[in-house]
Amino acid sequence: MSRLSAALLLAGAMLLATASFADRAVAQSDSEVYDRIEQLHGDAAGLDRPLRQLVVAMRSGDAETIAGLAEYPLTVKANGETYDVENAEDFIEDFDDLVTPETRRAVGRQQYQDLFVSSEGVMLANGAVWMGAVCDDNACDESHWAIIAINN
């Protein structure tokens, strides 16, 4: 084996080992995700029901349920444009233009341990949908989880 072949083989093996290690480093458990949501947003338990409803509704293309989970005005990026959807009725009417089949499939396959949690909210399907805790009053003593952005 030539030195170049051996070097390339070694470099490839190192790259594969690094990739495997990187995947393990970002893998997280359900409890780690839950704790991060609780730490940054509180009411992690309150996310469970709307998150499950969203995943199921995306699988079936249930525009009404998805519209009911959104906070309005809702920012939607689709077809290279940004839309501010004013209400649920508009969302339902334009659903097929606002939520692509790819987004529906990706969100429909979402696993809890694969959620990304930041101070901005909870990201599903690599940013296709964001959910956030929305305050119900000025003091934010009460809040509810809602879709806050869709990015196709």
Side-chain angles (χ1 to χ4, degrees):
M1 180 181 286
S2 72
R3 280 188 170 168
L4 180 58
S5 296
L8 288 173
L9 183 62
L10 179 60
M14 290 174 61
L15 182 60
L16 285 173
T18 303
S20 297
F21 178 73
D23 288 343
R24 284 192 303 270
V26 296
Q28 53 190 353
S29 69
D30 287 358
S31 63
E32 289 171 320
V33 173
Y34 182 94
D35 291 345
R36 180 120 171 106
I37 294 168
E38 192 64 38
Q39 174 189 19
L40 292 175
H41 302 283
D43 192 23
L47 175 61
D48 185 60
R49 185 169 186 238
L51 176 63
R52 289 178 193 275
Q53 289 175 322
L54 176 60
V55 169
V56 170
M58 283 288 193
R59 282 185 201 147
S60 64
D62 182 352
E64 291 81 14
T65 297
I66 298 166
L69 293 168
E71 186 69 20
Y72 298 95
L74 175 66
T75 301
V76 177
K77 293 181 181 175
N79 309 311
E81 301 285 332
T82 300
Y83 305 96
D84 289 321
V85 181
E86 294 298 321
N87 55 56
E89 293 79 21
D90 290 344
F91 183 87
I92 294 165
E93 182 178 319
D94 296 325
F95 180 72
D96 289 330
D97 294 326
L98 296 174
V99 184
T100 65
E102 294 81 13
T103 294
R104 289 181 229 160
R105 278 191 296 277
V107 175
R109 291 189 308 258
Q110 180 67 53
Q111 297 293 312
Y112 192 84
Q113 70 269 15
D114 296 329
L115 294 172
F116 174 79
V117 183
S118 76
S119 60
E120 299 298 314
V122 177
M123 181 180 79
L124 289 81
N126 294 320
V129 174
W130 281 85
M131 294 186 81
V134 178
C135 295
D136 294 331
D137 56 36
N138 288 338
C140 205
D141 292 330
E142 299 289 327
S143 64
H144 66 279
W145 285 94
I147 300 167
I148 56 173
I150 297 176
N151 304 298
N152 291 278

